[in-house]
Amino acid sequence: MAQVPQTFFDALAVRTWCGLTLRALGRAREEIDAINVYPVADGDTGTNLYLTAESAAAAVEAVFEAHDAHGLGKPALAEAARAMAHGALIGARGNSGTILAQLLRGMAQVLAADDETAHTDGEGLGLALRHAADSARRAVAHPVEGTVLTVASAAADAAGGAQGDCGTIARAAYDGARAALAATPGQLAVLERAGVVDAGGRGLVAVLGALVETFTGEVPRAVPVVSDLGHARVAGDDTDMTSVEVPADVIEECADAPGTHGPAFEVIYLLEADDTAVERLRQRLDGLGDSLVVVGGDGLWNVHVHVDDAGAAVEAGVEAGRPYRIRITHFGLGDVHTTGAERPRREPAQRAVVAVVPGEGLAGLYTEAGATTVLARPGEPPASGELVEAVRRAHAREVVLLPNDADLRHTAAAAAEQARTEGIRVALIPTRSAVQGIAALAVHEPERRFDEDVVQMTSAAGATRYAEVAVAERQSWTMAGICQAGDVLGLIDGDVAVIGSDVTVTAEAVLDRMLSAGGELVTLVLGDEAPETVAEHLEARVRESYLAVDTVVYRGGRQGALLLIGVE
């Protein structure tokens, strides 16, 4: 992490702020989850904020890594700010995470404006906080006071009334947000009954605290989180805030209060659509449910809504544009957060497989084979928090984790380490391609001893050579020579081996090179943009030229590469 304090807003300050925010939300996650009673007492606000911030931080790190790799020095403020906003947008989780994404987008729109020098000082920071609060409020269909929106507005008001450098403005915003947070129980009846402050607002105060630390190097004072008969307990005092829990009878009382019974499903998706279509979508979704938040712009949006008819919410997105990364959560009649009843305990399975997959087609294939999947869209790798969440969702004592991407090895290792601290036995098999994951899954036997199963799966993956056929996005040097944008590349075991102009011809050259070393089974995974005839041509090539070699073909969907090839 970069050194603090920073003296003005630049790309390094964005990077530092993202890192400190992630650390602050990581420390406060359980505490925030515990006080989450509005708009739905589903106990995940802290987790959703953390995952959203993690996606933002990863996007900023990717920009810095790209500049380092190409010897370009430090990125510009505009580039880092846009990356932060985009990362938060595509990784936003839940109502709170979606609003945080819009807050960061609002700030980025000011920080990344054309006249960059006007927005790097304290005055620029104040303008950014004001724009962030206003844009977040506009993104919510029916703003409610006593929530994160109130806290954001108070922070912007306080920042606007202060003068000085970025540290002074950040501290004023933090103090304003902290005071507004303490007042939220008096603004929202459900918070008052539960004796807590707003969970989303508490998360925003942590984010602003990280901003103060970025510009001053000082960790701000503690934050009141739970009020008990008028006496606020404070995060950071002698109370262990990770053990704060709203009593079940209080949650039940809040759930039974008038106006708190809500829809059964939370629906979230990313949407590619134009502004006009999104405005129509807002109106339609507003009629279907509540807690509607639509954030984004420039053709990409994150849609969040609570509805009874999840299918209708998704269909509305299809009519507006192209929805993807669709997540539907059933709040559940028997949920402890909505009824106060004890959640029925489900006995953990002995063993499960969690796999990252690059397309919807392979996700279906892996799921049919019994794996819990995490979808990795092109250019949108999953964060470690998403992998940890998938491990938890698998609900098993032992988990085999397949990252299926060489670039995800560190992310997967961090997720495995986190899961181990929660008492789950995790084995990470360093698969570098989805075809290696398929080979590993094919020999998986849950009845075997865990160590033996991991050894067999690792051996099968290691014995599978992998390749992909993709289109070059830019001119660059490769192991096979210089490629131009638009060239067809054949990569074997991660390195460019063939440069061509025709997909089928390039794929055949790659396959011949792989089979020259022998093989018994060829696996082909076709992307949506691959020519319809390429699989048939390659199957015929194997049949005619390589005796006793079988071929299996799968549809991968929108997976980035035109074609994945595995040879076992």
Side-chain angles (χ1 to χ4, degrees):
M1 186 179 298
Q3 286 252 317
V4 292
Q6 299 288 134
T7 56
F8 59 92
F9 235 125
D10 62 358
L12 201 57
V14 173
R15 185 189 201 184
T16 301
W17 182 31
C18 286
L20 292 173
T21 292
L22 195 60
R23 189 174 73 181
L25 288 174
R27 289 196 302 260
R29 180 182 63 81
E30 292 184 17
E31 163 206 315
I32 297 171
D33 283 345
I35 63 171
N36 172 203
V37 297
Y38 182 86
V40 176
D42 49 357
D44 63 359
T45 290
T47 299
N48 287 336
L49 287 169
Y50 179 85
L51 292 174
T52 303
E54 185 179 44
S55 183
V60 173
E61 285 301 315
V63 168
F64 272 84
E65 288 172 5
H67 275 251
D68 288 343
H70 294 89
L72 300 177
K74 186 179 71 174
L77 169 61
E79 192 175 1
R82 291 189 188 108
M84 173 185 70
H86 181 72
L89 178 67
I90 64 174
R93 297 297 190 90
N95 189 72
S96 55
T98 308
I99 293 174
L100 175 61
Q102 188 66 4
L103 287 166
L104 295 180
R105 177 180 171 81
M107 291 192 69
Q109 287 174 328
V110 174
L111 297 173
D114 292 338
D115 185 8
E116 183 179 306
T117 57
H119 305 294
T120 62
D121 58 6
E123 181 182 359
L125 176 55
L127 291 172
L129 290 167
R130 177 78 273 160
H131 186 64
D134 293 345
S135 60
R137 189 170 287 269
R138 288 193 299 270
V140 177
H142 301 285
V144 174
E145 298 306 325
T147 66
V148 62
L149 298 176
T150 305
V151 176
S153 294
D157 291 343
Q163 292 184 337
D165 59 13
C166 285
T168 302
I169 301 303
R171 190 177 295 281
Y174 176 81
D175 289 341
R178 190 176 185 276
L181 177 67
T184 55
Q187 297 173 289
L188 203 53
V190 66
L191 301 178
E192 185 177 23
R193 282 192 295 272
V196 297
V197 297
D198 178 65
R202 167 65 183 97
L204 179 58
V205 170
V207 173
L208 292 173
L211 188 64
V212 173
E213 189 175 355
T214 298
F215 290 113
T216 68
E218 300 173 5
V219 179
R221 54 187 175 148
V223 181
V225 292
V226 182
S227 59
D228 184 9
L229 299 179
H231 300 287
R233 287 188 286 177
V234 177
D237 66 8
D238 293 335
T239 306
D240 177 10
M241 297 315 300
T242 62
S243 66
V244 170
E245 184 175 351
V246 180
D249 60 338
V250 174
I251 290 180
E252 183 173 9
E253 179 186 347
C254 294
D256 289 338
T260 58
H261 284 293
F265 296 96
E266 178 184 60
V267 178
I268 305 174
Y269 50 80
L270 290 178
L271 177 71
E272 293 178 357
D274 59 37
D275 292 3
T276 303
V278 168
E279 187 54 42
R280 291 196 300 267
L281 175 66
R282 288 181 198 269
Q283 295 174 12
R284 181 167 177 190
L285 291 179
D286 194 24
L288 288 176
D290 59 29
S291 295
L292 174 60
V293 186
V294 181
V295 305
D298 302 320
L300 180 63
W301 308 81
N302 192 306
V303 179
H304 171 280
V305 67
H306 294 174
V307 293
D308 281 321
D309 189 345
V314 175
E315 288 171 9
V318 172
E319 291 178 7
R322 190 181 75 84
Y324 59 99
R325 277 200 175 186
I326 300 168
R327 298 187 184 95
I328 299 174
T329 303
H330 184 212
F331 293 126
L333 295 176
D335 195 305
V336 65
H337 299 302
T338 56
T339 68
E342 184 177 353
R343 190 194 306 271
R345 295 185 61 85
R346 178 164 63 98
E347 189 65 24
Q350 182 60 33
R351 189 173 309 156
V353 176
V354 172
V356 180
V357 290
E360 296 90 340
L362 282 181
L365 173 69
Y366 273 75
T367 300
E368 287 177 9
T372 298
T373 61
V374 178
L375 191 61
R377 295 282 183 177
E380 301 171 8
S384 63
E386 291 182 79
L387 300 188
V388 174
E389 189 179 70
V391 170
R392 293 173 182 144
R393 194 169 70 245
H395 199 59
R397 298 182 181 90
E398 302 167 341
V399 171
V400 179
L401 181 57
L402 306 175
N404 291 341
D405 187 335
D407 291 336
L408 285 178
R409 61 188 184 278
H410 296 307
T411 301
E417 188 61 34
Q418 173 61 38
R420 291 182 188 117
T421 66
E422 299 176 12
I424 304 171
R425 189 180 184 189
V426 181
L428 172 60
I429 298 179
T431 48
R432 294 173 290 176
S433 170
V435 291
Q436 288 189 322
I438 292 173
L441 199 55
V443 300
H444 169 55
E445 290 186 14
E447 295 77 18
R448 272 196 299 238
R449 288 178 52 246
F450 186 60
D451 291 340
E452 292 178 0
D453 198 28
V454 171
V455 168
Q456 291 299 318
M457 294 177 73
T458 303
S459 178
T464 302
R465 298 191 69 197
Y466 66 95
E468 68 176 75
V469 177
V471 177
E473 296 181 356
R474 63 183 68 87
Q475 182 188 60
S476 61
W477 291 87
T478 75
M479 296 286 289
I482 300 176
C483 72
Q484 304 296 328
D487 283 349
V488 179
L489 306 180
L491 295 87
I492 299 177
D493 294 338
D495 293 321
V496 176
V498 180
I499 301 174
S501 58
D502 181 84
V503 174
T504 302
V505 173
T506 303
E508 182 178 313
V510 169
L511 187 58
D512 284 341
R513 290 198 185 194
M514 297 178 75
L515 286 173
S516 66
E520 298 175 355
L521 176 66
V522 172
T523 300
L524 304 175
V525 183
L526 274 68
D528 280 346
E529 298 180 1
E532 287 293 328
T533 58
V534 66
E536 182 180 344
H537 180 88
L538 295 179
E539 284 185 288
R541 175 69 176 172
V542 172
R543 242 186 349 260
E544 294 166 3
S545 304
Y546 303 96
L547 299 178
V549 177
D550 294 324
T551 306
V552 59
V553 180
Y554 300 110
R555 292 280 176 179
R558 186 171 175 265
Q559 62 183 20
L562 298 173
L563 176 69
L564 301 178
I565 304 173
V567 174
E568 301 175 46

